């Protein structure tokens, strides 16, 4: 039932977009108002389910094929407006990624499958089942609802097809878009679904209602929250469904089911009609999806590609729904503020802990024994090597070297590398990623992602026809990621094996002015005080509030507290400044220097210099 | 007797609104033991901070060893060193006072700012730490010390500067009885060596123990009375007036009677 591009005239698809947009707006508003955190997994599960169930093509032997939509059961369990959003998201993925359903026809497809089908199913189910939670009536309602919901949706699609020759035809009366008149299109769509695909949808809907109503009678009413304990089981079902998707092409192939009605390609149309409608020609190649036809078209990997597409699509659906819910819920003022509040005290805690950890970096190990001055020189040399050299092997050697040092120093590998991975990913990989594309780094793509119909160029930019990843770009990404990762792991390793004071003193020996060190020292202290103030106040709040605080109160707390925290920190820092003055501080801090280096320190210094020079120049 | 610190008509208010000191006159002789007493919020800490030149009074003048302490005179390096080296201040809140990475750094901070060499500072630091019984804490950061240990480090960080006048704000707060005794003995020892000791407190037993001159701050932030410890401590009416003792009303049999209750009298040994 996915109408491709080229079948609907602008006179039809524009109004269809408008109608659907109205439903999306209401749906999103309702979702925003009603969605709870607990429902998000169910919502994404519903989308994944809908995506997968549509991949199970059911053949009419010797004729066409079709599939269920799953919108009805979502409407029954989670409400019709939820179904509107979930199925629309699925249809968007199908259109953009897999080329199933057109871009121009997206509004119409949403109207049929994401709006008509769920609402019809929901009305019928309500009418038949009433308030019953068990017995025959919910079952019957579900079956009838699913069946008729899909059939009515198909009839809508039939009408959309059928009016094309009337609303848009060429000078000689030749149809510009879908060629068949209402008298053919409507029965073809409607009866196919009423007799075969609709009953299938009905059965699926009924079985699921039976499952959810028997496992938990309160499920539907409670908005799917109550079944939380069985969630992993439901995910298993979704995974199993994804694993079974190859059946969706194997069975139709065995039984000789053709293309779905109204979803033929240009070649097939030419064979059927003897010509290709003019409007169709202009629109049908509008979009080149990355994975056309769910990967089933590729001769080499038919079922494999289809299977992979099933998983990909399901994951995309889940991901998109999560993002959407984050976005919708992010708009809520109260939760955002208390989130900020929580985030702040979390950051404070982390800061304080790493401060303490740093001070405690007294685990015996190789680097810990070394004089801080040697470590500072070593770090500078290594950082130079990391950032001057332009080849991957050197970077890898340095990475291995740092790793061995970390091992020898008994450093907390997990801690260091978790942070390295995080920072490397965000400040290396992600930032460099776009430059891997030939849009930014010109070159021949080694992996083509998108093929446009033609190259575009405007002003000084050129978008090549084949957009893809170049080898030069890939190298660049790898280089930057490695550089960031190496720099970070080096810095972390040295920091975690050297107490702050030692570093300060080492810097003093290198003639860093005392005033600079004083500022660094104080900043460091202030950050700690700030972190501690935040944490103390958070604890104080916990100890003073019993149970849950309602939204507006939490907001006031958070807002008021931010101010107080800063004020408190400032007062504290002022006091400390007084304490420093009292002990003779004049603005130029004088710090204690460092003792003499040991023989082993000199040796290590020599080794560090040798290694650094080798890495930079050889 | 030579006057070490002299405050003339000192008035101070926080942000020009919250009154903390009004018209304070006080003279502290060299080698004296002085207790500044008053209830919470009477202005003891503020007075000590004024005496240490940390906050500038709205009105009034401050003299140290006969030389005026003012914004202008504190700009002079020579006087600054003389004054900072001569007056030491132990804060009420040790957390404020400990801003260096480790206890040992804390010890050498003051001497180094005064221009002493590193060796000299370190040797003084070790002497003081031994005297205070905190030799083992040198490498520890301040937040890994107990309240009492912090106090000792804070006191030590001032003592290494070998000040003539030692201002102590609630020094015995939060210390166990043994540490309190230790501290009182320390103050006496320093005093015997000619140091001037000024203690701000509301702990009457400490005042009694110290047995020096007492300046009483009223809740109106004025000096209510100055005199020897035994005279002030026996003046129940005065102590009642400045809220350092409280009245108990309780029943004995069928007659209700009131009597003034001072914890100091109960815990006197
Ligand atoms: N940082 C400040 N900002 C505003 N007002 C302050 C500040 N510090 C003290 N005050 C006010 O100044 C007055 C005197 O305070 P001070 O700290 O000198 O009293 P105190 O005698 O030391 O009291 P305590 O025994 O509680 O330590 C009090 O009324 C207090 O509320
Ligand atoms: Mg005070």
């Amino acid at each position: 039932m996915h109408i491709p591009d080229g079948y609907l005239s602008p006179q039809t698809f524009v109004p269809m977009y408008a109608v659907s947009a109205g439903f999306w707006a209401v749906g999103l508003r309702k979702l925003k108002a009603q969605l709870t955190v607990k429902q998000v997994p169910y919502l994404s599960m519903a989308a994944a389910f809908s995506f997968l169930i549509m991949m199970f093509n059911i053949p009419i032997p010797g004729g066409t094929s079709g599939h269920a939509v799953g919108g009805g059961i979502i409407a029954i369990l989670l409400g019709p407006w939820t179904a509107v959003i979930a199925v629309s998201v699925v249809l968007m993925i199908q259109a953009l990624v897999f080329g199933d359903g057109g871009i121009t026809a997206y509004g119409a497809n949403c109207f049929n499958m994401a709006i008509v089908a769920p609402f019809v199913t929901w009305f019928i189910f309500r009418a038949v089942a009433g308030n019953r939670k068990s017995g025959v009536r919910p079952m019957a309602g579900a079956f009838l609802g699913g069946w008729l919901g899909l059939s009515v949706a198909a009839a809508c699609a039939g009408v959309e097809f059928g009016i094309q020759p009337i609303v848009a035809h060429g000078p000689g009366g030749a149809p510009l878009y879908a060629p068949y008149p209402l008298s053919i299109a409507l029965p073809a769509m409607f009866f196919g679904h009423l007799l075969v695909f609709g009953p299938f949808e009905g059965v699926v809907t009924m079985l699921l209602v039976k499952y959810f109503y028997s496992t938990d009678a309160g499920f539907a009413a409670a908005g799917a929250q109550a079944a939380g304990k069985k969630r992993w089981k439901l995910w298993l079902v979704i995974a199993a469904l994804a694993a079974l998707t190859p059946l969706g092409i194997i069975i139709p192939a065995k039984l000789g089911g053709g293309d779905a009605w109204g979803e033929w390609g240009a070649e097939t149309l030419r064979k059927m009609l003897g010509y290709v409608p003019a409007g169709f020609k202009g629109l049908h190649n509008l979009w080149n999806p990355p994975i056309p036809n769910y990967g089933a078209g590729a001769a080499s990997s038919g079922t494999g590609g289809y299977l992979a597409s099933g998983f990909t699509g399901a994951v995309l659906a889940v991901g998109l729904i999560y993002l959407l819910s984050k976005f919708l819920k992010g708009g809520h003022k109260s939760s955002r503020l208390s989130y900020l509040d929580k985030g702040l005290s979390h950051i404070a805690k982390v800061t304080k802990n790493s401060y303490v950890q740093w001070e405690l970096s007294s685990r015996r190990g190789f680097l810990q024994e070394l004089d801080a001055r040697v470590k500072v020189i070593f770090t500078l040399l290594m950082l130079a090597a990391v950032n001057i050299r332009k080849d991957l092997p050197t970077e890898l050697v340095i990475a291995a070297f740092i790793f061995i040092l970390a091992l020898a120093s008994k450093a907390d590998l997990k801690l260091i590398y978790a942070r390295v991975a995080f920072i490397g990913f965000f400040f290396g990989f992600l930032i460099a990623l776009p430059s891997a594309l030939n849009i930014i780094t010109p070159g021949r793509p080694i992996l083509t992602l998108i093929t446009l119909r033609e190259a575009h160029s405007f002003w000084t930019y050129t978008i090549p026809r084949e957009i893809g990843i170049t080898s030069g770009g890939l190298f660049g990404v790898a280089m930057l990621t490695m550089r960031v990762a190496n720099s970070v792991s080096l810095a972390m390793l040295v920091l975690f094996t050297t107490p702050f004071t030692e570093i300060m003193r080492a810097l003093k020996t290198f003639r860093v002015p005392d005033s600079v060190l004083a500022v660094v020292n104080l900043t460091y202290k202030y950050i700690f005080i700030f972190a501690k103030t935040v944490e103390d106040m958070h604890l104080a709040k916990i100890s003073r509030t019993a149970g849950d605080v309602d939204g507006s109160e939490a907001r006031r707390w958070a807002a008021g507290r931010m101010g107080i925290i800063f004020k408190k920190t400032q007062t504290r820092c002022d006091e400390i400044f007084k304490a420093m003055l009292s002990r003779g501080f004049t603005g130029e801090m004088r710090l204690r220097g460092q003792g003499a280096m040991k023989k082993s320190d000199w040796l290590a210094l020599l080794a560090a210099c040798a290694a650094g020079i080798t890495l930079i120049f050889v | 007797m030579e006057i070490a610190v002299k405050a003339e008509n000192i008035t101070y208010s926080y942000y020009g609104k919250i009154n903390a000191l009004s018209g304070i006159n006080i003279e502290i002789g060299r080698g004296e033991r002085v207790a500044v007493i008053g209830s919470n919020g009477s202005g003891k800490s503020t007075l000590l901070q004024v005496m240490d030149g940390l906050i500038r009074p709205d009105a009034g003048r401050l003299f140290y060893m006969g030389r005026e302490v003012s914004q202008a005179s504190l700009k002079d390096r020579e006087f600054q060193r003389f004054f900072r080296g001569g007056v030491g201040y132990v804060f009420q809140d040790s957390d404020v006072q400990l801003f260096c990475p480790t206890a040992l750094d804390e010890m050498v901070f003051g001497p180094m700012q005064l221009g002493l060499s590193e060796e000299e500072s370190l040797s003084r630091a070790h002497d003081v730490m031994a005297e205070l019984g905190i030799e083992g804490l040198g490498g520890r950061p301040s937040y890994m010390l107990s309240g009492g240990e912090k106090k000792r480090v804070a006191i030590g960080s001032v003592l290494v500067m070998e000040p003539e006048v030692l201002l102590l704000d609630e020094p015995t707060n939060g210390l166990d009885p043994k540490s309190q005794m230790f501290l009182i003995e320390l103050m006496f020892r320093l005093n015997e060596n000619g140091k001037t000791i000024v203690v701000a407190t509301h702990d009457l037993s400490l005042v009694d123990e110290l047995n020096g001159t007492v300046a009483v701050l009223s809740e109106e932030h004025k000096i209510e009375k100055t005199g020897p410890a035994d005279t002030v401590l026996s003046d129940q009416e005065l102590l009642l007036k400045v809220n350092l003792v409280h009245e108990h009303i309780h029943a004995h049999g069928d007659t209700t009677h009131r009597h003034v209750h001072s914890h100091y009298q109960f815990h006197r040994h």
Side-chain angles (χ1 to χ4, degrees):
Chain A
M1 211 193 296
H2 293 70
I3 305 173
D5 284 324
Y7 279 87
L8 298 185
S9 58
Q11 292 94 309
T12 314
F13 69 66
V14 173
M16 292 312 285
Y17 254 109
V19 173
S20 296
F23 279 86
W24 293 328
V26 178
L28 286 174
R29 277 245 303 278
K30 296 229 172 209
L31 212 59
K32 181 173 173 161
Q34 292 158 7
L35 189 68
T36 64
V37 180
K38 280 183 189 161
Q39 282 173 329
V40 174
Y42 294 103
L43 187 56
S44 44
M45 221 180 265
F49 169 75
S50 169
F51 180 89
L52 292 170
I53 200 76
M54 289 199 236
M55 288 184 78
F56 286 86
N57 291 308
I58 301 150
I60 299 176
T64 64
S65 60
H67 54 74
V69 170
I73 181 65
I74 300 176
I76 292 174
L77 294 177
L78 299 172
W81 291 104
T82 310
V84 169
I85 300 303
V87 179
S88 295
V89 166
V90 167
L91 290 173
M92 184 185 290
I93 295 170
Q94 289 173 327
L96 290 178
V97 182
F98 302 100
D100 194 10
I103 304 291
T104 54
Y106 177 64
N109 283 326
C110 284
F111 178 77
N112 303 335
M113 288 183 271
I115 295 166
V116 172
F119 271 102
V120 170
T121 309
W122 186 71
F123 277 123
I124 294 175
F125 177 78
R126 280 284 126 135
V128 176
N131 286 326
R132 302 290 176 81
K133 292 275 179 250
S134 56
V136 185
R137 284 174 63 170
M139 301 298 115
F143 177 76
L144 276 177
W147 178 24
L148 295 177
L150 192 70
S151 305
V152 174
C156 289
V159 172
E160 287 150 24
F161 279 126
I163 59 173
Q164 295 314 309
I166 309 169
V167 297
H169 48 77
L176 289 174
Y177 301 96
Y180 294 106
L182 207 53
S183 55
I184 298 177
L186 181 56
M189 285 305 291
F190 183 62
F191 287 111
H193 284 84
L194 187 70
L195 297 177
V196 184
F197 319 124
F200 180 67
E201 173 102 21
V203 170
V204 170
T205 309
M206 185 183 72
L207 288 177
L208 285 172
V209 164
K210 189 172 154 62
Y211 172 76
F212 282 112
Y213 273 45
S214 65
T215 42
D216 196 322
F219 184 85
Q225 294 177 23
K229 272 176 250 152
K230 299 184 182 78
R231 207 152 78 197
W232 63 274
K233 273 191 190 165
L234 294 178
W235 283 119
L236 270 185
V237 171
I238 300 278
L241 213 54
L244 290 175
T245 47
L247 290 179
I249 50 170
I250 293 171
I251 294 175
K254 280 252 151 61
L255 299 178
D259 281 337
W261 204 92
E263 296 181 26
W264 314 286
E267 263 322 292
T268 322
L269 260 185
R270 188 197 304 282
K271 268 185 221 149
M272 286 162 52
L273 300 172
Y275 68 95
V276 179
F280 178 87
K281 245 191 240 166
L283 281 179
H284 84 284
N285 262 346
L286 191 70
W287 177 250
N288 271 301
I291 313 174
N293 211 8
Y294 300 97
S300 54
S301 59
T303 47
Y306 203 69
L307 179 66
S309 298
F311 276 104
T312 312
V315 169
L316 276 176
V318 170
L320 263 180
I321 290 286
Y322 264 100
L323 278 183
L324 184 70
S325 336
K326 262 265 143 56
F327 176 73
L328 286 179
K329 280 295 153 188
H332 260 270
K333 252 193 188 151
S334 71
S335 62
R336 191 200 278 165
L337 260 179
S338 65
Y339 182 75
L340 181 74
D341 183 32
K342 248 191 218 153
L344 194 64
S345 59
H346 176 73
I347 291 174
K349 209 166 173 177
V350 170
T351 314
K352 209 195 99 201
N353 287 348
S354 39
Y355 181 101
V356 171
Q357 203 167 30
W358 197 353
E359 298 289 298
L360 281 181
S361 55
S362 57
R363 279 204 219 187
R364 293 275 145 238
F366 178 72
L367 280 178
Q368 288 87 332
E369 305 282 351
L370 276 188
D371 190 283
R373 282 165 288 192
V374 177
K375 282 188 266 187
V376 169
I377 294 180
F378 166 74
T379 314
L380 291 177
L381 279 171
M382 280 306 201
L383 281 179
V386 162
N387 292 296
I388 289 173
R389 293 303 292 255
K390 289 199 176 66
D391 54 322
L392 275 177
T394 314
E395 296 291 334
L396 289 173
V397 167
I398 293 174
F401 188 45
I402 296 172
F403 182 72
I404 292 170
L405 276 182
L407 273 184
S409 310
K410 301 192 189 75
D412 188 340
L413 291 179
K414 217 173 109 194
L415 183 97
I416 291 182
Y417 281 99
R419 290 182 196 193
V420 168
F422 181 79
I423 298 175
F425 180 76
F426 279 100
F427 294 93
F429 186 74
L430 270 194
I431 286 180
L433 198 56
S435 68
L437 294 175
N438 59 351
I439 308 177
I440 293 174
T441 318
R444 277 195 61 77
I446 50 169
L447 178 71
T448 307
L449 296 177
I450 301 168
T451 311
L452 302 175
R453 274 202 295 167
E454 58 197 34
H456 296 274
S457 58
F458 47 90
W459 198 31
T460 59
Y461 296 104
T462 311
I463 297 180
R465 209 174 80 83
E466 293 197 326
I467 298 174
I469 295 169
T470 65
S471 62
L474 215 54
F475 173 76
V477 174
M479 245 353 249
L480 187 69
T481 311
M482 279 306 289
R483 277 185 180 171
V484 171
N486 273 344
S487 305
V488 172
S489 53
L490 189 65
M492 301 255 292
L493 181 60
V494 171
L495 288 183
F496 278 135
T497 52
T498 321
F500 183 73
T501 3
E502 294 287 312
I503 295 176
M504 283 292 114
R505 292 208 189 100
L507 291 177
K508 185 182 160 76
T509 359
F510 294 125
R511 298 273 174 275
V512 175
D514 280 353
S515 51
V516 173
L517 295 182
V519 170
V520 174
N521 214 338
L522 284 182
T523 312
Y524 174 68
K525 188 83 195 177
Y526 287 178
I527 289 173
F528 179 66
I529 291 174
F530 179 72
K532 202 163 162 0
T533 312
V534 172
E535 206 195 358
D536 287 351
M537 293 192 62
H538 189 67
L539 289 181
K541 180 201 170 185
I542 291 173
S543 72
R544 269 187 281 170
T545 46
D548 280 346
V549 190
D550 73 65
S552 67
E553 192 164 342
R555 213 175 316 150
R556 251 184 292 121
W557 250 107
R561 204 131 40 92
M562 291 302 151
I564 294 173
I565 285 170
F566 282 109
K567 193 73 207 157
K568 243 187 156 172
T569 308
Q570 193 203 335
T571 322
R572 215 74 220 280
C573 293
D574 285 350
E575 289 276 291
I576 289 184
F577 188 69
K578 275 191 205 160
M580 292 175 69
L581 279 183
S582 162
R583 279 198 273 155
F585 176 67
T586 53
E588 315 161 0
M589 191 183 279
R590 302 187 37 165
L591 292 174
R592 191 153 60 94
Q594 241 172 343
M597 297 217 295
K598 290 173 294 188
K599 212 181 251 169
S600 57
D601 291 326
W602 285 110
L603 271 178
L605 182 64
L606 264 175
C609 288
I613 289 164
T614 317
L615 281 170
I616 295 175
F617 297 106
V618 182
Chain B
M1 186 171 40
E2 201 186 339
I3 301 297
V5 180
K6 181 174 165 200
E8 247 180 43
N9 237 336
I10 301 275
T11 298
Y12 184 84
S13 62
Y14 285 94
Y15 315 113
K17 276 193 198 116
I18 303 164
N19 206 18
L21 297 172
S22 41
I24 301 289
N25 283 299
I26 192 169
E27 272 182 17
I28 295 169
R30 207 164 170 175
E32 245 191 308
R33 288 190 305 275
V34 177
V36 177
I37 64 173
S39 59
N40 287 137
S42 55
K44 306 181 292 292
S45 301
T46 312
L47 179 58
L48 256 52
Q49 292 199 10
V50 169
M51 287 191 196
D52 196 34
L54 295 177
I55 51 182
R56 187 159 46 130
D58 302 339
R61 307 207 296 171
L62 177 75
F63 297 90
Y64 172 64
M65 302 294 180
R67 296 172 68 175
E68 179 162 9
V69 182
S70 66
Q71 209 71 355
S73 65
L74 275 176
K75 285 219 175 73
D76 172 41
R77 270 295 150 85
E78 191 274 327
F79 179 73
Q80 196 183 37
R81 197 158 293 174
F82 171 67
F83 178 69
R84 291 285 168 227
V87 183
Y89 181 24
V90 178
F91 280 71
Q92 184 166 1
D93 179 356
S94 317
D95 277 331
V96 164
Q97 197 163 359
L98 304 180
F99 48 81
C100 292
T102 65
L104 184 61
D105 286 298
E106 212 67 69
M107 295 292 156
V108 296
F109 182 90
M112 291 213 43
Q113 307 314 308
L114 292 181
L116 266 66
S117 74
E118 205 175 304
E119 298 81 63
E120 171 82 16
S121 308
L122 277 172
S123 94
R124 275 198 195 182
H126 285 118
D127 291 348
V128 169
M129 283 165 81
E131 190 177 356
L132 294 177
I134 47 173
E135 307 96 315
L137 304 180
R140 267 209 234 164
S142 60
Y143 55 84
M144 283 183 207
L145 298 172
S146 79
E149 288 167 342
K150 271 186 209 164
K151 195 94 225 172
R152 286 178 194 228
V153 173
I155 292 171
S157 73
V158 172
L159 288 186
V160 284
M161 298 170 74
E162 299 182 351
E164 279 305 315
V165 178
L166 195 58
L167 309 170
L168 299 125
D169 198 350
E170 313 273 7
T172 53
N173 252 10
L175 295 185
D176 62 24
K178 195 168 142 245
S179 300
Q180 284 193 21
M181 261 341 277
F182 172 85
L183 191 64
I184 290 164
E185 275 163 22
L186 179 73
M187 287 192 275
F188 270 99
R189 232 181 306 142
L190 290 167
N191 186 243
E192 271 156 27
N193 289 336
K195 310 284 184 199
T196 312
I197 308 284
V198 181
V199 178
T201 186
H202 47 227
D203 177 359
L204 296 181
S205 62
L206 174 63
V207 178
D208 183 44
E209 212 91 55
L210 211 56
N211 195 23
T213 313
V214 178
V216 185
L217 275 177
S218 69
E219 292 196 324
E220 289 73 46
H221 316 292
K222 291 192 170 78
I223 300 248
E224 193 66 34
K225 185 177 176 171
T226 321
D230 40 3
T231 336
V232 173
L233 288 178
S234 52
D235 190 345
Q236 292 297 334
E237 212 170 310
L238 172 71
L239 296 181
L240 194 63
K241 187 176 170 212
V242 299
N243 268 327
L244 277 167
V245 291
H246 53 107
E247 267 184 323
H248 256 332
I249 303 174
H250 50 181
H252 287 289
D254 34 39
T255 60
T256 304
H257 98 160
R258 12 174 92 201
H259 69 99
V260 176
H261 176 111
S262 156
H263 290 283
Y264 135 75
Q265 286 167 328
F266 276 74
H267 305 302
R268 193 169 197 174
H269 310 287

